[in-house]
């Protein structure tokens, strides 16, 4: 991740004097602000051949409990859930080792386990995620996908071994989650100066507010600093020491973003989105997957869609589908389809007032209230997906009149149109339905976070959260 800073600070170091000293140059837009020379001693190997640099002034130790280590978790899970059960079966009956179905099952289970572990780890890194609650769905998806492929190609496999592997995989990671729950939380050292005071309101981290460069904090996970502030030479040396000691150094805005799930942009020149365009390869892959899944959904759920249409016609007068012009991909206006959930020609006021759905809005019909609560009214937007105008996951498209209002009030609002709008999105599963300008600014921060972290992992997380939202009715109006 790149830091949010008006003038990004760049650390350069050059090894001189036979590996005994390291010189740091602190630059801003190519201009050298200061030079720091640190005396270091040789210790061990660096990169296999060079001289490693061990800073004598190092004061922070960044080690974590072994239960958190990826190697322990993954190797332990593979052993407990796959290899140990297979070895036990072979011990009792050595002929099992020659059975093709056992070999296929063990190989497939190992692939599914690693895919589930990777998904679980990546999803657990996103803000506001209780990782333990996603163990079962992520492993169910990985095992389901792998063994469905095996079934499709008609490979022989052991159903008992596959089911046991899946069960023991989930039990292993649930057990790790229980064991690590009471261990020390993430420990971050905060360097005074700049905009670090806002971190005090963020939960889930053990903050250490140091006042001196001589303060020793054991087992710190990282150092947080406002790189835009004028910190002084002593603190700049301290930051350089921490980097040399192997402790991660984070910009304060980066940490706040990671803990809140929102990207705040104050000036276009200092956004943290890296390239202004999201990953083009994933955009195309996602569009293809959206199109195929939308076509399958329309075919499979056609009886349900027909029943919903009948209930709408019986409940109130008017068409089954509601059509509305909304601001879409790359700022192009498109017609969005929904099941009609309000009485036709209901309510007075201008276009902007009519486009805003209020809490307990009296325009909503009886059937419409049920449809909106469980997001069933959004299903006809599969038509928009087939037309290439929308995606399953992305920032929600706003009515044209509202989008124009927000663009006039909020800077960078148009940037959210850089990806296809979605039926569900990161803002919807975290914030729910909003309409006020202040709330829309927060929604915009969620949208920017989604664009910056545009990836299949975040889409899977949003899909899982959307399922929970559909069951609970969170944020519906």
């Amino acid at each position: 991740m790149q830091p949010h800073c008006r003038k990004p600070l760049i650390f350069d170091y050059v090894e001189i004097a036979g590996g005994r000293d390291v010189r740091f140059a602190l630059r801003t837009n190519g201009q050298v602000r200061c030079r720091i020379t640190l005396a270091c001693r040789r210790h061990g190997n660096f990169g296999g051949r060079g001289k490693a640099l061990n800073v004598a002034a190092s004061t922070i130790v960044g080690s974590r409990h072994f239960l958190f280590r990826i190697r322990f978790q993954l190797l332990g899970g593979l052993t407990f859930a796959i290899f140990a059960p297979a070895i036990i079966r072979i011990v009792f009956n050595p002929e099992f080792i020659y059975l093709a179905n056992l070999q296929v099952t063990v190989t497939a289970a190992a692939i599914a386990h690693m895919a589930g572990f990777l998904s679980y780890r990546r999803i657990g890194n996103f803000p506001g995620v209780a990782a333990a609650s996603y163990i079962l769905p992520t492993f169910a998806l990985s095992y389901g996908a792998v063994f469905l492929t095996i079934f499709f190609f008609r490979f022989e496999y052991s159903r008992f071994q596959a089911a046991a592997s899946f069960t023991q995989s989930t039990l292993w990671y649930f057990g790790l989650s229980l064991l690590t729950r009471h261990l020390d939380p993430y420990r971050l050292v905060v360097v005074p100066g700049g905009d670090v005071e806002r971190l005090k309101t963020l939960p889930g981290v053990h903050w250490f507010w140091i006042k001196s460069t001589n303060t020793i904090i054991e087992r710190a996970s990282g150092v947080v600093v406002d790189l835009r502030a004028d910190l002084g030479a002593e603190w700049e040396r301290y930051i350089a020491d921490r980097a040399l000691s192997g402790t991660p150094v984070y910009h304060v805005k980066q940490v706040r973003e990671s803990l809140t799930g929102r990207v705040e942009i104050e000036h276009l020149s200092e956004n943290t989105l890296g390239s202004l365009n999201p990953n083009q390869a994933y955009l195309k892959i996602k569009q293809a997957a959206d199109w195929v899944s939308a076509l399958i959904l329309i075919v499979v759920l056609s009886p349900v869609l027909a029943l919903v249409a009948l209930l709408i016609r019986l409940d109130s007068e008017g068409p089954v589908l509601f059509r509305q012009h909304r601001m879409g991909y790359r700022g192009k206006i498109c017609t969005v389809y929904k099941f009609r959930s309000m009485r036709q020609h209901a309510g007075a006021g201008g276009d902007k007032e009519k486009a805003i759905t209020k809490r307990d809005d009296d325009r909503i019909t009886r059937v419409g209230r049920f449809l909106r609560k469980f997001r069933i009214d959004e299903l006809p937007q599969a038509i928009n997906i087939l037309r290439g105008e929308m995606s399953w996951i992305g920032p929600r498209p706003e009515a044209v009149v509202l989008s124009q209002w927000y663009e006039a009030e909020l800077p960078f609002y148009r940037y959210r149109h850089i990806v296809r709008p979605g039926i569900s999105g990161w803002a919807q599963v975290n914030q729910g339905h909003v309409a006020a300008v202040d709330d829309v600014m927060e929604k915009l921060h969620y949208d920017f976070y989604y664009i910056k972290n545009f990836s299949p992992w975040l889409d899977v997380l949003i899909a899982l959260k959307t399922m929970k939202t559909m069951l609970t009715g969170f944020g519906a109006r």
Side-chain angles (χ1 to χ4, degrees), residues 91-106:
V91 168
F92 283 97
N93 190 348
E95 294 182 0
F96 272 120
I97 196 172
Y98 302 109
L99 295 180
N101 68 347
L102 180 64
Q103 298 170 3
V104 170
T105 305
V106 169

Side-chain angles (χ1 to χ4, degrees), residues 64-320:
R64 298 192 74 191
H65 198 282
F66 75 92
L67 290 178
F68 291 106
R69 294 176 184 170
I70 295 177
R71 194 176 303 172
F72 172 81
Q73 293 185 357
L74 180 57
L75 293 180
L78 289 171
T79 301
F80 176 76
I82 300 169
F83 301 132
I87 291 172
I88 292 173
R89 291 189 68 182
I90 292 171
V91 168
F92 283 97
N93 190 348
E95 294 182 0
F96 272 120
I97 196 172
Y98 302 109
L99 295 180
N101 68 347
L102 180 64
Q103 298 170 3
V104 170
T105 305
V106 169
T107 303
I111 294 172
H113 184 99
M114 288 187 286
F117 174 76
L118 179 60
S119 302
Y120 159 64
R121 291 278 304 187
R122 292 296 296 269
I123 288 174
N125 287 332
F126 289 108
V129 174
S133 62
Y134 291 93
I135 294 173
L136 185 60
T138 52
F139 277 91
L141 285 173
S142 65
Y143 271 82
V146 170
F147 282 96
L148 189 62
T149 303
I150 289 177
F151 177 79
F152 178 79
F153 286 101
R154 298 184 178 276
F155 290 120
E156 291 187 5
Y157 69 98
S158 170
R159 293 178 178 81
F160 174 79
Q161 186 85 14
S165 172
F166 166 72
T167 303
Q168 290 178 239
S169 295
T170 55
L171 288 176
W172 170 259
Y173 292 105
F174 271 122
L176 282 178
S177 176
L178 292 175
L179 290 173
T180 57
R181 183 175 299 175
H182 302 293
L183 296 177
D184 289 339
Y186 213 65
R187 300 155 61 90
L188 291 176
V189 177
V190 183
V191 172
D195 189 28
V196 297
E197 293 297 318
R198 294 174 62 187
L199 295 175
K200 291 182 177 179
T201 60
L202 301 180
V205 175
H206 192 170
W207 303 105
F208 293 91
W209 302 84
I210 61 175
K211 302 296 182 183
S212 169
T213 56
N214 296 320
T215 303
I216 298 176
I217 304 296
E218 297 292 337
R219 296 181 62 190
S221 305
V223 175
V224 183
V225 59
D226 187 347
L227 293 175
R228 294 180 300 180
D230 188 4
L231 301 174
E234 288 297 321
W235 285 113
E236 286 171 350
R237 290 189 182 94
Y238 180 85
I239 296 168
D241 290 347
R242 303 291 67 76
L244 280 174
S245 68
T247 303
V249 178
Y250 303 110
H251 181 50
V252 60
K253 208 166 186 180
Q254 176 188 5
V255 172
R256 196 161 60 239
E257 168 193 324
S258 298
L259 294 175
T260 62
R262 303 193 299 268
V263 172
E264 301 176 14
I265 295 183
E266 298 164 5
H267 302 281
L268 190 59
S269 61
E270 63 179 84
N271 71 71
T272 60
L273 301 170
S275 169
L276 288 179
N277 296 309
N279 188 309
Q280 296 300 304
Y282 180 57
L283 268 175
K284 294 179 180 178
I285 294 172
K286 183 182 179 185
Q287 183 183 10
D290 286 337
W291 194 90
V292 171
S293 57
L295 181 63
I296 293 173
L297 180 137
I298 289 177
V299 173
V300 173
L301 293 185
S302 54
V304 176
L305 300 177
L307 177 61
V308 172
L310 177 62
L311 292 175
I312 292 172
R313 292 300 301 269
L314 294 175
D315 184 55
S316 61
E317 295 182 357
V320 170

Side-chain angles (χ1 to χ4, degrees), residues 7-13 23-37 225-240 249:
K7 295 179 180 179
L9 302 180
I10 302 174
F11 287 99
D12 287 342
Y13 74 86
R23 177 178 296 159
F24 271 81
L26 197 56
R27 298 187 298 159
T28 305
N29 292 343
Q31 301 296 320
V32 176
R33 288 181 53 188
C34 67
R35 297 185 185 277
I36 305 170
T37 301
V225 59
D226 187 347
L227 293 175
R228 294 180 300 180
D230 188 4
L231 301 174
E234 288 297 321
W235 285 113
E236 286 171 350
R237 290 189 182 94
Y238 180 85
I239 296 168
V249 178

